[in-house]
Amino acid sequence: MISSTGYSQKVKTWSLTGKASYYSNKFEGRKTCSGDIFCHDSLTGATTKMKMGQFVKVTNTANHKFVIVKVNDRTAKKSPYIIDLTKSAASKLGFLRAGTARVKITRASAESYHAQFVN
């Protein structure tokens, strides 16, 4: 069941705050750790903080824009970023020009991920 916030009511509350960046174009067409082919137009992310295949809501804390992405890759263990996003996700969050942003990450459902493509 989806609540008015777009989250499945079965999703447990959890959050993480830190810096996000986005992938460079040189990864376009390469395989991610999950086996997916990287595409900068998709809404996906790389992190070591969450399980592969998990859906997360990423909110830019400066402008409150958010996007829901699927975790399909891993960042370097010593990365200063909690998540690396696709160019499309970074654009929706409004930080393409800056290159990085402070974000809050919370769990999301597959339903809320897919619902953002309907509107």
Side-chain angles (χ1 to χ4, degrees):
M1 177 177 211
I2 303 295
S3 72
S4 61
T5 61
Y7 282 84
S8 167
Q9 292 179 354
K10 294 181 181 180
V11 176
K12 292 182 182 179
T13 305
W14 169 92
S15 70
L16 183 65
T17 303
K19 272 190 132 180
S21 66
Y22 68 92
Y23 286 91
S24 76
N25 289 335
K26 72 179 183 179
F27 294 104
E28 186 73 22
R30 293 185 186 181
K31 276 191 178 182
T32 64
C33 289
S34 69
D36 295 342
I37 301 300
F38 176 78
C39 175
H40 70 268
D41 291 328
S42 64
L43 296 177
T44 60
T47 184
T48 57
K49 309 292 184 196
M50 283 131 315
K51 292 180 183 177
M52 197 73 66
Q54 186 173 358
F55 296 94
V56 294
K57 178 181 177 183
V58 183
T59 304
N60 184 329
T61 60
N63 62 20
H64 305 288
K65 292 181 180 182
F66 71 89
V67 66
I68 298 167
V69 301
K70 180 180 178 183
V71 175
N72 73 343
D73 207 0
R74 294 286 177 229
T75 56
K77 289 184 181 184
K78 295 192 181 220
S79 174
Y81 306 107
I82 60 170
I83 194 163
D84 286 335
L85 299 166
T86 58
K87 202 172 193 179
S88 180
S91 177
K92 288 181 182 289
L93 293 174
F95 73 86
L96 273 182
R97 178 165 283 171
T100 64
R102 187 155 177 78
V103 298
K104 179 179 180 182
I105 300 173
T106 54
R107 288 189 179 154
S109 66
E111 293 89 357
S112 59
Y113 172 79
H114 295 292
Q116 67 191 342
F117 299 107
V118 176
N119 297 331

